[in-house]
Amino acid sequence: MLKKYSKSLSVLALVAVLAACSQTESANQTKQEAKVPSATKVEKLQVNEDKHLVIMHLNDTHGRVEEGKYDGMGYARVKTLVDNVRKNNDNVLLLDAGDTIHGTVFAALSRGESIVEIMNTMDYVAMAPGNHDFNYGLDRLEELEDKMNFEVLASNVEYKEDGNTAFKPYIIKEIDGMKIGILGVSTPETAYKTSPANVEAVTFTNPIATAKKAVEDMSKEGVNYIVAVSHLGVDEDSYYTSIRLAEEVQGIDLIVDGHSHTTLKNGLQIGDTLIVQTGFYDKNLGKVDISINKDGSTNATASLISKEEAMGRTEEVEVEKEVVVTVNDDYSIKAGDTLSEISFSHKIPQGTIMAANDQIVNPDLIYAEDNLVLPTERTEVVKEVETRVVGGVAKDQTVMDTINRIKIENEKITSVVVGHTDVTLDGERGQVRAGETNLGNLLTTAMLDKTGADLALTNGGGIRASIKEGDIKKGDVISVLPFGNYVVVIEVTGQDIIDALENGIQSYPNARGAFPHVDGMKVKFDPIQEAFSRVVEVTLDNGEKLDPAKTYSLATNDFMAVGGDQYESLKGKKTLGEYESLEEILSDYISKNGVTITTAEGRVSSIR
């Protein structure tokens, strides 16, 4: 059942609607924004005595609940750090600025519910929905909202049908005699930075206008301090940013931001508003210490707790240790000695003495003035170099128990059969990094089928396993694509495509992770030419030659879209759409269509 939160229709008439696929300011948009009234003066209540408030925050974790080489500190350490702050202060609020419930296999297998379960153990207060939080669809996000022990806040997400807001615009949290107003905004870029089908029932309206209305409404209800949880970011390429929010909306004291993956170590002060953001993948945990004073003044200090601090650093130290060593002492046999007497008096077994003295053949025949060696154990102090973890915090056991339980449940899902193949789908490292394979072709075909783009391109290094002949299980697909990379459609020129292909084949015939797997085109290249001069021709599936000056839509993965594997020609391009993760798209394609490609088809081929 859809949740609907009422909103004044008179305000809706004043709100500008961001065009679904536009990233540039249009004349119509400017005209609509001119209709938005400026904010009235925001009055805030004064506290009776000086108060201290702490805001802890994360953003853009993208389902990274456990620590990893390229990931953050993990939610179990986040919980410990937050709890440590709570021990010393009762007034602590934990907030999340979005892009939280999607991005890893761990998250996708339960369509986000696993992340919600963990967040529920951490005592979150509220989150703003990021564009990727809609990747399972609006209906699923609303289902997950019902399972949350915290609020989803978004003042600018409205149903097309009736203009009501899909989520609460704001809440007022009462804590220690203070009223803390918390409003939420989502980026209007969500209209094209998730699959459009996921958000077809809603409109992402002007966040500046809706934030002004929320601030004014909270002011009327009486608040001491206002926080915006914002998935807008600070990138200059975005039309709506948290910087604009701070500049144009009076009364917001703090913006807990996300979306741009920006690390703001001590925050960014814009007028009277402090903007904070932690980067991404819980590599940092944000902390804002806030003083709310009885004279009406406030001040805030932002800081970050890094992954290195949370996990501790390793260092080599020299330590002294007591060790037991065996020393061979010389012993001269005296008249009347027997081996048993020597063994008894020196507390050394006869067998040990005999083993250390080859000349003893018969223990009853030993002679005075002969020499023996007696293996004697002694304790000595030695110096050793030891690697220690210095600092860091322990993992919260409740969070770890939840993660481990979910892992067991996920194993049931990975065993589900999604299809069947009569041939082995080749994802072997030496193959996908040096040439076209049937698995690479199937993956790029699935990418085109999902997105409707003109062309598809992915890197062989992202394909990590083969799928053997027989039934295909969900876990098999995850083994092929384990990184949680999602599909992005970007606008490129034909020359950008050629430059990308040149990058991918530059090391051929040597294996390289950048080797291109494609659909929508056939590529011929000459391997004896110098690198970056090897592409001979690129022919589209409709028979036309690729036009270097023409614009095309390209489906690729998010890693390559930001220049990964040296795909520099794809970096910084206009985003036309963002979709599910590669393993979700491939799994869904096989479930619906079967294995439609069983051989390499000459999509990328050498002319020699």
Side-chain angles (χ1 to χ4, degrees):
M1 180 177 179
L2 296 180
K3 291 187 175 182
K4 299 186 179 181
Y5 301 99
S6 62
K7 185 168 186 176
S8 169
L9 293 178
S10 62
V11 173
L12 287 174
L14 302 173
V15 176
V17 179
L18 183 67
C21 294
S22 174
Q23 287 181 295
T24 60
E25 182 177 356
S26 68
N28 183 52
Q29 186 177 52
T30 304
K31 182 178 178 182
Q32 286 180 321
E33 286 198 344
K35 298 178 182 180
V36 178
S38 60
T40 58
K41 183 174 176 57
V42 177
E43 298 289 347
K44 294 177 187 171
L45 296 177
Q46 290 184 212
V47 292
N48 295 325
E49 57 182 343
D50 293 348
K51 300 286 186 179
H52 182 223
L53 173 69
V54 181
I55 302 290
M56 307 294 289
H57 60 99
L58 285 173
N59 59 272
D60 298 279
T61 55
H62 292 277
R64 268 68 177 181
V65 299
E66 293 187 278
E67 73 273 13
K69 182 177 180 180
Y70 302 108
D71 298 335
M73 64 185 73
Y75 274 22
R77 286 191 173 90
V78 169
K79 176 65 158 58
T80 299
L81 289 167
V82 174
D83 282 352
N84 287 345
V85 176
R86 287 171 173 151
K87 289 175 184 176
N88 299 314
N89 196 308
D90 293 332
N91 308 331
V92 180
L93 303 179
L94 178 59
L95 304 175
D96 191 287
D99 274 4
T100 304
I101 63 173
H102 184 275
T104 59
V105 171
F106 181 91
L109 288 176
S110 64
R111 301 178 67 227
E113 187 169 348
S114 57
I115 308 300
V116 172
E117 285 190 59
I118 295 167
M119 293 177 75
N120 281 343
T121 70
M122 299 171 70
D123 299 321
Y124 272 89
V125 173
M127 70 172 285
N131 49 296
H132 289 296
D133 294 321
F134 290 89
N135 277 7
Y136 308 114
L138 174 65
D139 288 349
R140 178 56 176 167
L141 181 54
E142 291 176 324
E143 289 174 359
L144 293 174
E145 185 187 15
D146 289 335
K147 300 176 184 294
M148 294 174 180
N149 296 338
F150 51 94
E151 301 288 353
V152 178
L153 304 178
S155 61
N156 66 316
V157 183
E158 301 174 356
Y159 292 114
K160 292 178 181 178
E161 180 183 0
D162 57 15
N164 289 325
T165 54
F167 305 98
K168 287 182 179 179
Y170 66 87
I171 59 172
I172 296 176
K173 183 76 174 177
E174 296 192 25
I175 179 171
D176 189 24
M178 296 179 286
K179 288 187 174 183
I180 310 301
I182 307 172
L183 69 96
V185 291
S186 291
T187 176
E189 294 172 5
T190 304
Y192 57 90
K193 287 194 171 179
T194 186
S195 174
N198 292 335
V199 291
E200 59 187 2
V202 291
T203 298
F204 292 84
T205 62
N206 179 345
I208 306 297
T210 60
K212 285 180 180 178
K213 178 64 167 62
V215 167
E216 291 169 8
D217 288 347
M218 287 189 289
S219 177
K220 292 173 185 177
E221 294 186 46
V223 290
N224 305 109
Y225 196 84
I226 293 178
V227 180
V229 189
S230 162
H231 196 79
L232 294 179
V234 295
D235 278 350
E236 292 180 0
D237 291 341
S238 293
Y239 184 75
Y240 291 110
T241 65
S242 283
I243 293 175
R244 278 193 64 186
L245 188 68
E247 290 173 337
E248 299 183 27
V249 182
Q250 295 181 21
I252 298 176
D253 298 290
L254 174 68
I255 297 177
V256 174
D257 194 28
H259 189 47
S260 58
H261 291 201
T262 309
T263 303
L264 299 175
K265 185 175 181 180
N266 299 116
L268 175 64
Q269 191 74 40
I270 303 294
D272 295 329
T273 305
L274 178 65
I275 302 172
V276 294
Q277 196 180 150
T278 66
F280 61 101
Y281 292 179
D282 54 81
K283 292 183 178 181
N284 297 292
L285 170 64
K287 180 185 180 187
V288 187
D289 284 287
I290 303 163
S291 296
I292 303 174
N293 306 313
K294 61 183 179 181
D295 63 5
S297 65
T298 63
N299 52 68
T301 302
S303 60
L304 296 176
I305 303 169
S306 69
K307 173 185 177 180
E308 289 72 24
E309 291 176 79
M311 297 186 69
R313 70 182 188 278
T314 58
E315 62 179 32
E316 291 185 344
V317 294
E318 189 176 72
V319 296
E320 292 185 344
K321 286 187 174 181
E322 289 187 347
V323 296
V324 176
V325 297
T326 299
V327 179
N328 289 326
D329 289 332
D330 289 330
Y331 180 80
S332 181
I333 300 173
K334 298 185 290 292
D337 275 346
T338 66
L339 192 59
S340 61
E341 289 172 339
I342 296 171
S343 170
F344 178 77
S345 62
H346 287 82
K347 299 180 180 178
I348 302 173
Q350 285 190 42
T352 301
I353 297 174
M354 291 184 67
N357 295 271
D358 295 339
Q359 74 271 28
I360 301 177
V361 178
N362 185 336
D364 294 324
L365 297 175
I366 60 174
Y367 301 93
E369 299 181 0
D370 281 354
N371 290 320
L372 296 178
V373 293
L374 300 181
T376 304
E377 288 188 347
R378 294 179 183 171
T379 299
E380 293 185 355
V381 176
V382 298
K383 291 183 178 181
E384 294 183 355
V385 175
E386 188 176 86
T387 300
R388 291 180 176 177
V389 177
V390 180
V393 296
K395 298 179 183 180
D396 179 82
Q397 194 58 49
T398 301
V399 174
M400 286 308 304
D401 289 345
T402 305
I403 290 173
N404 291 332
R405 174 178 55 77
I406 292 170
K407 282 182 173 180
I408 294 172
E409 294 170 358
N410 283 350
E411 289 175 3
K412 300 174 185 176
I413 302 173
T414 58
S415 64
V416 173
V417 174
V418 298
H420 182 88
T421 178
D422 293 327
V423 300
T424 295
L425 299 173
D426 187 0
E428 295 305 306
R429 180 185 178 93
Q431 298 293 99
V432 294
R433 292 171 179 244
E436 174 190 344
T437 74
N438 55 1
L439 182 53
N441 286 353
L442 183 64
L443 174 58
T444 51
T445 295
M447 292 164 66
L448 275 196
D449 181 75
K450 177 65 180 182
T451 64
D454 298 323
L455 306 167
L457 170 63
T458 197
N459 57 323
I463 300 171
R464 309 299 280 197
S466 295
I467 297 177
K468 294 181 180 179
E469 180 180 345
D471 287 340
I472 303 172
K473 297 178 181 179
K474 182 76 172 178
D476 297 328
V477 181
I478 292 169
S479 296
V480 171
L481 302 159
F483 299 122
N485 293 111
Y486 57 88
V487 172
V488 183
V489 177
I490 56 178
E491 185 177 88
V492 295
T493 64
Q495 188 61 52
D496 292 330
I497 295 291
I498 293 169
D499 292 344
L501 294 169
E502 291 281 13
N503 171 65
I505 61 175
Q506 64 173 290
S507 300
Y508 183 89
N510 295 326
R512 184 167 174 258
F515 188 89
H517 295 260
V518 305
D519 197 12
M521 57 182 156
K522 284 185 168 55
V523 181
K524 294 188 180 298
F525 66 95
D526 186 348
I528 70 169
Q529 301 301 318
E530 292 184 2
F532 296 98
S533 299
R534 292 181 167 186
V535 173
V536 174
E537 67 175 17
V538 181
T539 306
L540 306 182
D541 283 355
N542 62 10
E544 296 179 1
K545 299 296 183 184
L546 184 78
D547 185 345
K550 190 175 178 180
T551 298
Y552 300 91
S553 58
L554 174 71
T556 187
N557 64 65
D558 62 312
F559 170 70
M560 294 169 63
V562 295
D565 265 350
Q566 296 181 302
Y567 276 96
E568 293 294 325
S569 66
L570 306 183
K571 188 176 179 180
K573 301 303 179 182
K574 179 180 178 180
T575 301
L576 302 177
E578 294 185 0
Y579 295 82
E580 291 88 342
S581 59
L582 286 167
E583 87 279 350
E584 290 178 86
I585 287 175
L586 180 58
S587 182
D588 289 345
Y589 180 85
I590 293 172
S591 295
K592 294 174 184 175
N593 304 288
V595 175
T596 58
I597 297 166
T598 58
T599 62
E601 301 172 322
R603 296 184 187 181
V604 181
S605 59
S606 168
I607 63 173
R608 298 183 188 277

